[in-house]
């Protein structure tokens, strides 16, 4: 299971643990609003340990669903609230 903190978030949210096997070519975090519209995509390039931080300061308040996608396949999901 993923930890998403702080949740609810105001400016930034950290997702942990995120493990990317060495053979993965492309890893992304996609963030969707509650209606399923893609709001934010972040390529996972640099990581601090096994954490990824997203800047959510520009998002509207509400619920969001995140997906971690590796080489086109969703490998994990999470939910977060923006305040």
């Amino acid at each position: 299971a993923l930890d998403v903190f702080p949740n609810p978030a105001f400016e930034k949210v950290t997702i942990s643990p995120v493990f990317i096997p060495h053979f993965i070519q492309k890893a992304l975090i996609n963030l969707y609003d509650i209606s399923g519209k893609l709001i934010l995509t972040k390529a996972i390039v640099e990581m601090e340990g096994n954490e990824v931080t997203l800047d959510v300061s520009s998002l509207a308040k509400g619920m969001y669903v995140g997906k971690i996608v590796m080489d086109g396949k969703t490998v994990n999901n999470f939910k977060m609230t923006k305040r």
Side-chain angles (χ1 to χ4, degrees), residues 21-41:
H22 69 278
F23 56 84
I24 295 295
Q25 300 291 317
K26 187 176 185 180
L28 303 169
I29 294 181
N30 291 331
L31 201 60
Y32 301 84
D33 68 13
I34 204 70
S35 71
K37 180 181 175 187
L38 180 62
I39 300 296
L40 177 79
T41 296

